[in-house]
Amino acid sequence: MDLLELNYTENSTIVLKKVSSAPPTTPPTTPPSAPPTAPPSAPPTAPPTVPHVPDAFCTFKPLSSADAEEEHLFLDSIAWPETPPLPVPFLLNQTSDPAHSTFTILPGRGGGERHIGDQLEVMIQMYDFQGNPKKSGGDAIVARLHNRALEAGVAGRVVDHLNGSYSAVFPLLWEGSAHVEVMLVHSSEAVTVLRRLNRHHPDRVLFKSLFRSGSISATTICNVCLRQTSQPQCNYTDHRTGDPWFCYKPKKLSCDARMNHMKTGYKSILKAEEKKLFQRNVNLKVFIPASGPANVTVLPQRKGQPGVDGGSGKSGLSGYYYQGVWRSLDGTKVYQFNNSSAISQCLKGKVVHLYGDSTIRQWFEYLSASLREAKEVNLNSPKQAGPYMIWDNANKIMVTYRIHGPPFRISTMPSCKESYIANELDTLVGGANTVVVLGIWAHFSTFPFELYIRRLQSIRRAVVRLLNRAPGTLVVIRTGALQHVQLSNVISNGDWFTLQLNKVLRAMFKGLNVQLVDAWDMVLAHHLPHDLHPKPPIIKNMIDVLLSYTCPQKKS
């Protein structure tokens, strides 16, 4: 829940500190290129056909020098520690095993008592299935400190020491017992596989479109990245944002005969030995045992010690749960909006625009159910995708939802309903009574990270334009969160992908006057199971954060 304040000009580029790191995980195999598109001033025409270009696959339109430099810095900033190639022949017993691995709570300051406001540090040592210590890093690990009876929990920050050992650090925020949990999400060897998938198989989610003209119809494959064949391609790249989308051209139909967008399935592209790295209860999201006590007792705060809610943000964490309620660690006061009346009072006279994937649609559904006086406006919209609208005439509240532009995994959607967030933002007047919520991540995990960077760059430019013409507009961004994963969906929705996308998201909007709802920490810190669509108690806390930004001086 960071308040990120800095005046921006539209063409500003965030300059990140460049750090020494492993090479980017998605090096281009050919010089960046893309089929030409019509300039923005060109009159509307049928989508052009892309000529056959041998050996070009998932290349992107060249960027300006500033955007290209920023893209490289983003890729450097998310570069994962180098992970070893899978041994040949493959031997599972040489890979990270959570059952053999351990964590140890390190002694407190002076080896004595622990108090609220102190830090708790845990050392994690990874071993393989033969009990041998790992000598390199790259495992994806998460950690949590919690007290189930108090409904208290906080995420830990994990540091990779690149030698098989890791540290997890937690702030001590409540009095009483605190229990440590450490989870191996993916072994370093599994991360090697996930990196390979994004480099070589960005088309593993299957998309198609129906083309029709009169009695003639045909269905062809579509994607951000299409493998080059002798079949020409239709280029549906958005002229304003530059966001790419392509379909193979039907033999007997023109490109402007495209009717819809469909997700038709997934490619099974894991090799037999790779599947062994994604086994539930073996090496996929499995808890690592403690080598000693997993609990500590926390005493009251020492006299004169700063309060835990002082807003310093030194922990790098956005907040924690206590008695089931999310509390901020950045100084933001989070209020409770426990009934329809409280929500209506906060949103009275306001317009709330929600843009993003189904995790943002959850928020629309929550508000729709909570605003009892609001009525749904029938926009004849497709299920899942929207656009949706509710209107509360008595309180003059309007809430809308629209999915982001392709790629998105929806069974069927008319192509005429497709719209990119940046274009939607450019239609808003904005102002003090306008709230804009953005959440875009879940449908981008199968693609090279460059695609996500570029999508966020176009959205950020639109946010800058909106804030320049209407500085009072509230813009809130939801991060990605942990999910329930198994072999069937890990190749498309793994937590490692989300972790990387979140790093880009945070860096992309750093410095803008926007607010953040840290869904990653809010799901990780909670006792409920990880889920792509978090359970109602977590959603309720997220909406409380959103409404606290909207109404920072809530009336009792």
Side-chain angles (χ1 to χ4, degrees), residues 241-281:
T241 67
D243 293 311
W245 193 252
F246 303 93
C247 296
Y248 289 121
K249 182 184 178 299
K251 291 182 179 180
K252 297 182 179 181
L253 293 168
S254 68
C255 291
D256 61 358
R258 179 171 174 254
M259 296 286 105
N260 66 9
H261 168 95
M262 299 180 285
K263 184 209 77 178
T264 59
Y266 300 86
K267 289 183 181 179
S268 178
I269 40 77
L270 282 180
K271 302 172 184 177
E273 63 270 18
E274 292 175 340
K275 292 180 180 180
K276 298 176 182 178
L277 296 169
F278 302 96
Q279 300 181 71
R280 292 288 297 181
N281 303 318

Side-chain angles (χ1 to χ4, degrees), residues 137-150:
D139 297 293
I141 296 172
V142 295
R144 170 171 89 106
L145 189 69
H146 69 104
N147 181 317
R148 184 68 182 86
L150 293 176

Side-chain angles (χ1 to χ4, degrees), residues 418-549:
E418 293 175 353
S419 182
Y420 291 92
I421 290 176
N423 291 338
E424 291 296 319
L425 294 179
D426 283 339
T427 68
L428 301 182
V429 175
N433 289 322
T434 300
V435 180
V436 173
V437 181
L438 308 175
I440 174 170
W441 59 279
H443 298 256
F444 286 78
S445 55
T446 57
F447 296 98
F449 294 122
E450 289 91 336
L451 178 70
Y452 189 62
I453 291 171
R454 293 172 183 223
R455 179 63 60 89
L456 292 188
Q457 283 177 325
S458 72
I459 293 173
R460 184 184 63 191
R461 285 190 285 268
V463 168
V464 169
R465 291 191 290 268
L466 173 60
L467 294 178
N468 280 343
R469 67 178 177 270
T473 307
L474 173 63
V475 178
V476 180
I477 299 174
R478 181 203 191 276
T479 71
L482 297 106
Q483 308 164 54
H484 171 76
V485 293
Q486 53 194 5
L487 180 60
S488 62
N489 68 357
V490 71
I491 65 168
S492 58
N493 279 336
D495 290 336
W496 180 78
F497 296 126
T498 305
L499 180 63
Q500 297 293 81
L501 297 178
N502 277 348
K503 292 177 186 176
V504 173
L505 180 70
R506 293 173 185 277
M508 184 67 69
F509 289 94
K510 184 177 182 180
L512 280 179
N513 186 20
V514 303
Q515 303 282 8
L516 203 66
V517 175
D518 194 335
W520 180 276
D521 277 5
M522 295 184 79
V523 170
L524 178 56
H526 206 279
H527 65 83
L528 286 170
H530 302 166
D531 197 322
L532 173 64
H533 300 108
K535 302 302 181 186
I538 300 176
I539 295 297
K540 195 270 181 188
N541 275 287
M542 290 180 179
I543 295 296
D544 283 342
V545 175
L546 169 65
L547 296 178
S548 296
Y549 287 141

Side-chain angles (χ1 to χ4, degrees), residues 6-15 66-67 70 457 460-461 464 468 508 512:
L6 185 66
N7 291 328
Y8 250 56
T9 59
E10 181 174 332
N11 296 320
S12 293
T13 297
I14 295 175
V15 179
D67 283 348
E70 183 182 51
Q457 283 177 325
R460 184 184 63 191
R461 285 190 285 268
V464 169
N468 280 343
M508 184 67 69
L512 280 179

Side-chain angles (χ1 to χ4, degrees), residues 92 95-101 129 182-187 275-289 484-488 490:
L92 182 67
T95 67
S96 300
D97 175 22
H100 278 91
S101 303
F129 282 82
V182 178
M183 175 186 284
L184 175 68
V185 177
H186 293 302
S187 67
K275 292 180 180 180
K276 298 176 182 178
L277 296 169
F278 302 96
Q279 300 181 71
R280 292 288 297 181
N281 303 318
V282 176
N283 52 15
L284 175 63
K285 300 197 82 165
V286 177
F287 289 113
I288 294 172
H484 171 76
V485 293
Q486 53 194 5
L487 180 60
S488 62
V490 71

Side-chain angles (χ1 to χ4, degrees), residues 231-368:
Q231 187 175 359
Q233 297 177 15
C234 294
N235 180 3
Y236 298 102
T237 298
D238 188 84
H239 290 169
R240 297 186 76 251
T241 67
D243 293 311
W245 193 252
F246 303 93
C247 296
Y248 289 121
K249 182 184 178 299
K251 291 182 179 180
K252 297 182 179 181
L253 293 168
S254 68
C255 291
D256 61 358
R258 179 171 174 254
M259 296 286 105
N260 66 9
H261 168 95
M262 299 180 285
K263 184 209 77 178
T264 59
Y266 300 86
K267 289 183 181 179
S268 178
I269 40 77
L270 282 180
K271 302 172 184 177
E273 63 270 18
E274 292 175 340
K275 292 180 180 180
K276 298 176 182 178
L277 296 169
F278 302 96
Q279 300 181 71
R280 292 288 297 181
N281 303 318
V282 176
N283 52 15
L284 175 63
K285 300 197 82 165
V286 177
F287 289 113
I288 294 172
S291 62
N295 293 278
V296 297
T297 299
V298 184
L299 300 176
Q301 191 170 315
R302 293 184 180 89
K303 187 176 181 180
Q305 188 166 352
V308 296
D309 297 324
S312 66
K314 291 181 179 179
S315 68
L317 299 167
S318 59
Y320 67 103
Y321 290 104
Y322 186 73
Q323 296 180 341
V325 173
W326 185 255
R327 297 185 174 187
S328 169
L329 284 171
D330 65 3
T332 301
K333 175 65 176 177
V334 179
Y335 298 99
Q336 300 302 296
F337 297 82
N338 294 327
N339 52 54
S340 177
S341 175
I343 296 174
S344 297
Q345 185 179 12
C346 173
L347 294 181
K348 189 170 185 177
K350 297 189 182 298
V351 178
V352 182
H353 296 292
L354 301 137
Y355 302 103
D357 53 42
S358 59
T359 63
I360 288 295
R361 192 181 72 232
Q362 261 194 301
W363 290 16
F364 176 86
E365 292 165 351
Y366 183 97
L367 292 173
S368 180

Side-chain angles (χ1 to χ4, degrees), residues 365-380:
E365 292 165 351
Y366 183 97
L367 292 173
S368 180
S370 300
L371 295 170
R372 296 175 183 172
E373 300 300 320
K375 306 297 181 183
E376 180 179 353
V377 179
N378 185 359
L379 301 177
N380 194 28

